[in-house]
Amino acid sequence: MRGVKADQPLPHGHGSVSPFLSRARKQAVVLAFVSATAFAHVGSPDVFFQGNAGPYPLLVTIRPPDVIPGVARIEVRSLAPGVEKIELTPTPMTGIASTHPPVADVAQRVAGDTQSFEGALWLMSVGSWEVHIRASGPKGTGELPVPVPAVALRMQPMSRGVSYFLLGMMALLAVGIVAIVGAGVREATLDPEVPAKRWSRKTTVAMACASAVVIAALWGGNAWWVSDAATYSQRIYKPLGITATLNQPDQLQLRVTDPGWLKQRRLDDLIPDHGHLMHLFLVRWPAMDRIAHLHPEQTATGFFETRLPSLPAGTYRVYGDIVHESGFAETAIGELALPNVDGKPVTGDDAEGPTVFETGYKMVWVHGESKPVIAKQVALFSFEIVGLDGKPASNLEPYMGMGGHAEFIKDDGSVFAHLHPTGSVPMASVAVASPAAMIAMHETSVGPVVSFPYGIPTVGQYKIFVQLKRAGKVVTGAFDVTVI
Amino acid sequence: MERENSIPWYIWLSVFGVTSAMIGVHWDIAWHRSIGRDTFWTPPHVAIQLCGVIAGITCGYLILWTTFTNAPLRAVSVNVLGLRGPLGAFICAWGGFTMIASAPFDDWWHNAYGLDVKILSPPHVVLAIGMVAVEIGCLVLIAARMNRSAGAARRRLEWLFLYVASMILVALLVVVLEYTHRVFLHTAVSYRVISMLTPIVLAIASRTTGRQWAATTVTAMYTVFLLGLLWILPLVPAQPKLGPVLHEVTQLIPSGFPLLIIAPAFVLDLLWPRMVAWKMWQQALVSGALFLVVLLPVQWPFADFLQSPAARNAVFGSSYYDYNQSPQSYAATWRFVPLENAIQFRVGLGIALACSMVSTWLGMGAGEWLKRARR
């Protein structure tokens, strides 16, 4: 289990506009900084990636560890028969170490399934890693680089059994060493057979000194432990925040804020993903009945600006997807209260929805309702646009180079994931890992069915927004799903 | 009835355990520097934990045997919480249990905070305390036996005592290995830790055995042990199994060239017989100062040599550095770490001088006590 829930409630009520806003309708103010695990997605640390390792189409799942250094679990499923061997090699995505791979690990074939393989790899440092999946078979060999962000997510508490064992050993060893010192002073220098005095001042002083040393050692050890734990806790990932101001009736100013994590994190090193430095999602909360997928322009380091489409008043969750030049992707998170916004219709790559489809067309989840969705289990979520005749629309187009974009959002706000048909990895990260792989993944023809590989991280109620492009227009479908 | 002139099985087993641990520790460090990947069951870990297991089982058995039978050792045993046995057996057993307790602690530490890639972490220190306790227990076992023996048997036990003392020196200097790497040998902190840990062992060895060249012998054994590891470990092929790999490695990477503590040890051995009439504190002050005064002018230029191209070979080992060490690092570019300014350096050396004196004084006191140990 790797999913981490947002464990802090929002400080303000959901779905209402604050009194301040009712007085100053021109301004929208961020109400809260949402605490959650959010490096490229929120509460969804596992990586899902679909691509070709040479002649072999693969679906890869990487479940990163909670602590770094730690062990990532890797599942590889060949989508076509013929793969005989899968080798796994982790390297940092950039820098000199990216050119010195360690010895590859061979993934083990899953019993009873000739196309599935499992393996484990150590991720040794925080940052942007890639796992090279090398597939071999009769058609030769091929490699698929899969970007993986490695961050420490939490500190694992000590189990009751281990803590009792260690406390018991500590007590035994503390008493033992004091008794040994006492025995040493009392008897060790006596000749054989000479009876020892039961007690003496010297023995008492020695045992008192030993006790003092033991107490001092335990105190010092505890202080050291606390200090190391505090140092480690600073390495636990802290998501970027995002604050916003509505400075014109339909213009949103955004500021990405760093709550302090690793000093290496910068905001002046962002690279475009699908041609945009930020993919901004506004989701009306808690109903999740409205979503806007916008692409703000950067006006200065950490500052962005965008026009808003028409949006109803309410509280909105704000998710800003960005990618650093190292390929490390993050989702900046915040919350925003908006008055009724009377904006212009979206243009270009911007989208909002759910779409009210013209008569005769609708977006459907292929076999969606017929199969149970199980937490953490990788599945292909497939969607299509069908006409009145029930036939799928054949005129789908790539949307920002992808067959489509999908957002999975949990109703308690603890999960937000932005997916493509290639999986959960931003294309900008893929480009850093392998420009050739990124080019190969850009889709030129789409559909009619568009599928997203994903393992929803936790049990609960989710909303899926799916954005496909048809006839030059981006349409957004909304689907409810119960995950068991 | 065992013969007092023989070396009993439990002493041999303890010495074996101590040796296993010390080889294991250096092997483990080489493993981390070249292969990287770590599980509880790597061969070096097994070698280390073997020490705790041997100490725990051997000395546990010895204690139970002495407590519940009419064993000959009963006459030379001490009473700890109602149990009887030689004092060294209790210390060994305590060390063994401490080592064993460190295993789940270390495992949890890895799971909670990630694999620690540093020597000095709380669970590692618990392990080191246990290991050094086993070594001290072994030393006390040998000392008590030695003090009850005479002639050839005593001489054999004296050699064993010096050997175990050298293993203690190896263990103590491993704990501070991160501060005594060649790149730190022009800093006061390096000399501070060496002065803190070495004179105590040399003084114990000299006082307890009474041999004139005890300190030299101990440091010679330490030197031979580390040179053996320096020259043998790189013969074992190894490749990194973890990233980031910043530097290609094809064999185990050993710890560096041993410290030249044999030089001050030789001088101390030479001068200690001339100080016998002095008070212990006077001897400690002079000996502590001598240790540092002799070490500095020997180790300092030798560190320059270790950083030079002439030392970048299999003999001196300066060409070895870790797979995850940057080619721009101090070790890989053979530069000294400028850790301290002039004032910090002078103050640091002053502290090193005080440490050396106190360490010598403690060692002399412990040696005098060990000389009288009978049980």
Side-chain angles (χ1 to χ4, degrees):
Chain A
M1 168 60 210
R2 307 286 172 200
V4 178
K5 293 177 182 174
D7 52 8
Q8 290 182 11
L10 296 169
H12 293 268
H14 299 163
S16 62
V17 180
S18 76
F20 168 76
L21 288 166
S22 63
R23 292 197 301 272
R25 295 182 64 85
K26 283 190 175 179
Q27 280 205 323
V29 179
V30 166
L31 295 178
F33 170 75
V34 184
S35 172
T37 304
F39 54 96
H41 319 302
V42 177
S44 182
D46 292 354
V47 172
F48 305 92
F49 196 63
Q50 188 169 255
N52 295 327
Y56 309 107
L58 303 179
L59 174 56
V60 179
T61 303
I62 301 178
R63 305 191 191 275
D66 287 343
V67 295
I68 300 292
V71 178
R73 305 281 159 200
I74 297 165
E75 300 154 22
V76 180
R77 177 158 177 76
S78 170
L79 301 177
V83 175
E84 291 171 348
K85 187 178 178 186
I86 294 284
E87 291 169 285
L88 313 166
T89 316
T91 62
M93 233 148 68
T94 54
I96 188 167
S98 64
T99 58
H100 294 299
V103 175
D105 273 65
V106 177
Q108 300 300 310
R109 205 183 284 272
V110 174
D113 183 350
T114 55
Q115 289 177 225
S116 293
F117 299 80
E118 284 180 346
L121 284 178
W122 279 96
L123 298 179
M124 291 300 292
S125 57
V126 169
S128 205
W129 284 71
E130 61 181 304
V131 175
H132 302 264
I133 314 278
R134 189 177 172 82
S136 313
K139 294 179 191 166
T141 59
E143 190 171 298
L144 179 67
V146 183
V148 184
V151 297
L153 294 176
R154 65 191 184 106
M155 271 192 279
Q156 184 179 303
M158 192 178 279
S159 73
R160 194 168 285 186
V162 173
S163 58
Y164 285 159
F165 171 76
L166 290 178
L167 275 173
M169 287 300 282
M170 187 181 76
L172 179 74
L173 293 170
V175 171
I177 195 64
V178 172
I180 288 170
V181 168
V185 171
R186 189 175 58 235
E187 299 174 71
T189 54
L190 295 177
D191 282 326
E193 308 284 5
V194 174
K197 280 185 192 170
R198 284 185 69 81
W199 212 244
S200 73
R201 183 181 159 79
K202 205 172 163 186
T203 308
T204 311
V205 170
M207 290 177 78
C209 289
S211 302
V213 169
V214 167
I215 290 166
L218 291 176
W219 180 83
N222 183 59
W224 185 12
W225 186 345
V226 168
S227 159
D228 268 15
T231 304
Y232 177 79
S233 71
Q234 286 171 355
R235 299 209 307 255
I236 292 177
Y237 180 76
K238 294 179 186 66
L240 293 168
I242 193 163
T243 58
T245 310
L246 196 63
N247 64 352
Q248 288 180 34
D250 65 344
Q251 190 171 52
L252 199 61
Q253 276 199 333
L254 300 141
R255 183 184 173 200
V256 179
T257 55
D258 189 342
W261 180 44
L262 302 182
K263 63 182 178 187
Q264 294 94 322
R265 177 158 72 180
R266 292 157 42 199
L267 293 174
D268 62 352
D269 67 344
L270 307 186
I271 57 173
D273 185 24
H274 308 295
H276 302 286
L277 286 182
M278 178 185 281
H279 291 257
L280 180 75
F281 298 91
L282 304 177
V283 181
R284 198 156 85 125
W285 208 259
M288 295 193 283
D289 57 351
R290 203 76 185 165
I291 185 169
H293 177 175
L294 308 172
H295 303 95
E297 292 295 323
Q298 185 173 246
T299 53
T301 299
F303 289 86
F304 293 81
E305 204 168 80
T306 186
R307 291 273 173 197
L308 290 177
S310 294
L311 290 170
T315 301
Y316 284 76
R317 290 275 170 113
V318 183
Y319 304 99
D321 285 352
I322 56 170
V323 182
H324 297 273
E325 67 182 358
S326 64
F328 188 80
E330 294 191 80
T331 299
I333 50 183
E335 198 172 88
L336 167 72
L338 280 178
N340 267 318
V341 177
D342 185 17
K344 293 186 175 62
V346 289
T347 56
D349 291 336
D350 288 356
E352 56 97 11
T355 302
V356 179
F357 286 88
E358 66 261 42
T359 311
Y361 278 94
K362 62 178 179 178
M363 190 185 291
V364 296
W365 180 3
V366 182
H367 308 304
E369 286 75 26
S370 59
K371 286 188 289 189
V373 179
I374 298 165
K376 293 191 77 68
Q377 199 171 83
V378 188
L380 282 177
F381 293 85
S382 301
F383 303 89
E384 62 185 0
I385 295 174
V386 295
L388 199 57
D389 55 1
K391 288 184 178 171
S394 57
N395 56 345
L396 295 186
E397 302 164 15
Y399 174 31
M400 289 188 282
M402 298 277 102
H405 294 246
E407 295 80 42
F408 287 66
I409 308 166
K410 194 172 182 183
D411 66 351
D412 63 359
S414 62
V415 176
F416 168 85
H418 170 196
L419 303 187
H420 308 132
T422 53
S424 61
V425 181
M427 281 298 107
S429 302
V430 178
V432 174
S434 166
M438 196 275 285
I439 291 165
M441 284 172 180
H442 261 95
E443 295 173 72
T444 50
S445 64
V446 179
V449 176
V450 179
S451 300
F452 301 90
Y454 188 48
I456 298 181
T458 51
V459 170
Q461 291 292 326
Y462 287 76
K463 179 80 84 178
I464 308 173
F465 291 106
V466 179
Q467 294 175 314
L468 306 176
K469 195 168 182 181
R470 186 179 72 88
K473 280 185 66 179
V474 180
V475 292
T476 302
F479 304 88
D480 292 305
V481 56
T482 302
V483 180
I484 55 174
Chain B
M1 176 77 189
E2 61 180 339
R3 291 179 295 119
E4 280 288 310
N5 285 340
S6 65
I7 297 176
W9 59 271
Y10 51 85
I11 287 184
W12 283 121
L13 270 179
S14 302
V15 170
F16 173 76
V18 163
T19 308
S20 171
M22 287 306 96
I23 292 173
V25 164
H26 275 277
W27 189 5
D28 192 42
I29 290 169
W31 188 283
H32 277 280
R33 299 182 73 187
S34 49
I35 297 171
R37 182 170 305 177
D38 197 49
T39 69
F40 183 74
W41 295 109
T42 60
H45 283 181
V46 172
I48 293 169
Q49 290 296 341
L50 194 62
C51 171
V53 171
I54 287 175
I57 293 175
T58 304
C59 295
Y61 171 76
L62 203 59
I63 290 164
L64 294 176
W65 182 51
T66 312
T67 304
F68 297 109
T69 70
N70 203 17
L73 276 177
R74 204 173 168 82
V76 287
S77 65
V78 298
N79 180 345
V80 175
L81 302 172
L83 298 169
R84 296 209 70 91
L87 180 68
F90 282 107
I91 301 172
C92 264
W94 186 89
F97 283 116
T98 304
M99 287 179 74
I100 290 164
S102 78
F105 186 22
D106 198 35
D107 192 49
W108 172 80
W109 192 271
H110 291 177
N111 290 333
Y113 306 123
L115 176 82
D116 44 349
V117 284
K118 56 181 188 173
I119 295 173
L120 274 177
S121 69
H124 284 183
V125 167
V126 172
L127 177 68
I129 288 172
M131 219 156 24
V132 172
V134 170
E135 290 173 329
I136 291 172
C138 187
L139 210 61
V140 173
L141 267 179
I142 296 170
R145 184 83 184 189
M146 189 174 78
N147 294 335
R148 302 196 303 270
S149 306
R154 179 181 164 91
R155 280 195 296 280
R156 284 207 306 276
L157 284 160
E158 282 173 2
W159 277 103
L160 266 186
F161 186 94
L162 296 178
Y163 172 72
V164 173
S166 76
M167 290 297 104
I168 291 181
L169 200 53
V170 170
L172 293 177
L173 291 175
V174 157
V175 175
V176 295
L177 204 60
E178 283 165 337
Y179 299 105
T180 58
H181 189 275
R182 59 185 157 79
V183 299
F184 287 109
L185 287 173
H186 281 188
T187 65
V189 69
S190 203
Y191 294 92
R192 200 165 72 213
V193 295
I194 298 169
S195 302
M196 206 182 284
L197 300 173
T198 308
I200 188 171
V201 180
L202 304 186
I204 286 174
S206 181
R207 290 279 164 149
T208 310
T209 62
R211 295 178 78 98
Q212 189 188 348
W213 301 108
T216 310
T217 308
V218 167
T219 49
M221 287 172 169
Y222 153 85
T223 306
V224 168
F225 187 81
L226 284 201
L227 282 178
L229 291 166
L230 175 66
W231 294 338
I232 292 169
L233 285 174
L235 302 178
V236 181
Q239 276 182 289
K241 288 188 174 174
L242 293 178
V245 181
L246 301 174
H247 158 65
E248 297 288 353
V249 162
T250 54
Q251 79 284 310
L252 287 178
I253 302 293
S255 307
F257 199 85
L259 297 166
L260 298 184
I261 47 177
I262 194 166
F266 175 74
V267 173
L268 289 174
D269 275 340
L270 208 59
L271 296 180
W272 267 334
R274 296 161 204 268
M275 299 181 195
V276 282
W278 300 10
K279 290 193 169 77
M280 193 191 288
W281 66 266
Q282 291 171 324
Q283 293 184 44
L285 285 185
V286 174
S287 307
L290 263 177
F291 177 84
L292 193 60
V293 164
V294 175
L295 178 66
L296 256 174
V298 175
Q299 189 70 63
W300 190 283
F302 190 68
D304 280 320
F305 169 74
L306 287 177
Q307 299 281 61
S308 73
R312 294 169 205 168
N313 49 49
V315 176
F316 295 100
S318 293
S319 51
Y320 304 127
Y321 58 96
D322 311 11
Y323 75 89
N324 58 3
Q325 209 150 25
S326 157
Q328 281 79 47
S329 65
Y330 287 100
T333 51
W334 297 280
R335 289 175 296 141
F336 290 107
V337 178
L339 200 65
E340 300 145 342
N341 61 32
I343 295 170
Q344 287 168 328
F345 178 73
R346 285 180 199 138
V347 171
L349 278 190
I351 296 171
L353 184 67
C355 287
S356 186
M357 292 168 174
V358 171
S359 176
T360 312
W361 181 74
L362 288 171
M364 286 175 165
E368 286 297 329
W369 183 84
L370 272 173
K371 200 158 71 177
R372 293 185 288 117
R374 295 286 185 279
R375 299 185 173 203

